[in-house]
Structures are given as structure tokens and as C-alpha cells.
Amino acid sequence: MSASVKVLKERLNQVLEQIESPRFLSSDGLGNEIGFWIFDYPAEHELIVREELQHITKRLQKRYKFEHLNIFQEIVALLDERGLFERACAREKQVGLEALKKNLSGPLQQDKIARYLADKYNFAELDFVILSGLGNAWPLIRGHELLSALQDVMGHTPLILFYPGTYSGLNLQPFGEVESRNYYRAFKLVP
């Protein structure tokens, strides 16, 4: 096992403890900040994180009312409900991802995605929300933009984003390689 996998597994082993802490569940000590948390990880270890996340959510289901939302699956559902998914797939084959991104910029505006999720899931009734699948949805969905839009609909419900990249506490850097984007309103779930 490589050193980076070992460190990642050690961090993943702390996720349950962090979620079950009073600080997380009640957003204690956050100084009126929103309860947004980020678990960042090297994108090349996506499959390890997915597998561990399945185990984590299975254990959490016994004690908490929460939703684990795969953002990629959610945008597919949103596009499908609007009759756009099949057309978007065909369009991507014709014009490529960058042109498709421009074509979908209206339906996939981050505030529309946030509102779609808020309408579909009653966040106020949940103990917390887990978001994953951002790597599959990128570049159609950008982490910093989605988090900014979700601020308006989450209320006091804590949110954890499992993020394939790095989060410095000030910047989100997808895949650890793409130009960094400012987002400063979240906390690292496990340093």
C-alpha cells in the first residue's frame, strides 16, 4: 500500500467520528458560518473513496436521517426530467464537451441545481447531507459555484462535499491540477 493510500485511509477512518461530533451536527463553534465541510482527496483515489463512502453511509443510516447525493446522478435526473439528457449526450458526441458546457449553461446554472435539490429533498428535515460525484460532473459543475449556490437553500443543515482535489481552506483545486478557485466558507472535515 502506497503512503498516499495509507494517509487517505487514515483520514477516511476519522470521517464517522467527525460527523458524529456535536460540533459537526450542530455547527458549534463555527462563528455563525454555514456548516459546510469538505473532505478533499487525491482524484486518483476516487474508487477507494467511493468504496469507503458506501461503508460510512451504511453505518450512518442506523443513527441519522441524511441524504447521500451523487451530484452527477442528480444532474442527469434534472436533465432527464426536462427532456434534455438524451439530446445532451448526442450533442456532446457532435460538438465536444466545451460546446456542450455552453449549451447547458442555462439548465445547469448552479442556482437552478441548488433549487432543484432543495425542491427534491427537504434539507430542513435532515441531520446532514453528503455530496459526492463531483469529479464525474466536472466541468459542467464546479465545486465552488455549487457550494455558493447551496448556501441559499441549505439553511442550518450541515453539508459534506467529498472533493476530488485539494482544499486549502481558501481555494478549491479540482483534481489537484486545475487552476484554483476561491471558496472560503467551508471547513476541512478531516485535516
Side-chain angles (χ1 to χ4, degrees):
M1 178 183 314
S2 72
S4 66
V5 170
K6 185 177 180 185
V7 169
L8 176 61
K9 287 194 174 235
E10 289 170 1
R11 289 181 63 229
L12 285 164
N13 286 336
Q14 297 175 52
V15 168
L16 277 173
E17 179 183 328
Q18 293 297 323
I19 290 173
E20 293 178 331
S21 74
R23 181 174 187 241
F24 172 82
L25 291 171
S26 63
S27 297
D28 281 348
L30 299 184
N32 291 328
E33 288 293 326
I34 54 176
F36 280 18
W37 302 83
I38 295 175
F39 184 92
D40 59 346
Y41 58 92
E44 64 266 18
H45 299 310
E46 175 71 27
L47 296 179
I48 293 169
V49 172
R50 282 186 203 172
E51 184 177 319
E52 288 298 320
L53 196 48
Q54 287 178 353
H55 298 299
I56 291 167
T57 56
K58 194 172 192 176
R59 289 185 61 194
L60 290 169
Q61 287 172 342
K62 298 173 185 174
R63 297 190 55 198
Y64 301 101
K65 185 175 181 183
F66 71 98
E67 290 289 344
H68 174 198
L69 309 178
N70 180 303
I71 197 64
F72 179 74
Q73 292 171 356
E74 294 296 336
I75 65 167
V76 167
L78 180 147
L79 292 172
D80 201 37
E81 284 179 19
R82 296 189 60 194
L84 298 172
F85 181 68
E86 294 299 325
R87 291 190 326 204
C89 291
R91 186 83 176 133
E92 181 183 11
K93 288 178 185 175
Q94 293 172 344
V95 298
L97 185 58
E98 281 305 312
L100 177 66
K101 183 179 170 187
K102 288 178 186 173
N103 290 3
L104 293 177
S105 63
L108 293 184
Q109 286 178 1
Q110 308 303 299
D111 60 331
K112 289 181 181 178
I113 295 169
R115 178 60 41 211
Y116 171 79
L117 295 174
D119 291 345
K120 190 172 177 181
Y121 304 97
N122 188 350
F123 293 138
E125 292 181 358
L126 302 175
D127 294 317
F128 56 89
V129 173
I130 296 173
L131 278 179
S132 66
L134 189 65
N136 291 339
W138 193 89
L140 298 175
I141 305 298
R142 304 296 294 254
H144 67 287
E145 293 173 357
L146 181 60
L147 289 175
S148 293
L150 285 168
Q151 288 172 195
D152 296 333
V153 299
M154 290 300 299
H156 296 288
T157 304
L159 177 140
I160 306 167
L161 172 62
F162 280 79
Y163 187 75
T166 57
Y167 180 56
S168 70
L170 296 174
N171 296 305
L172 287 168
Q173 189 173 14
F175 312 110
E177 298 177 7
V178 180
E179 181 180 325
S180 193
R181 299 292 181 168
N182 289 343
Y183 187 81
Y184 57 90
R185 297 202 67 185
F187 304 91
K188 279 192 129 180
L189 184 67
V190 178

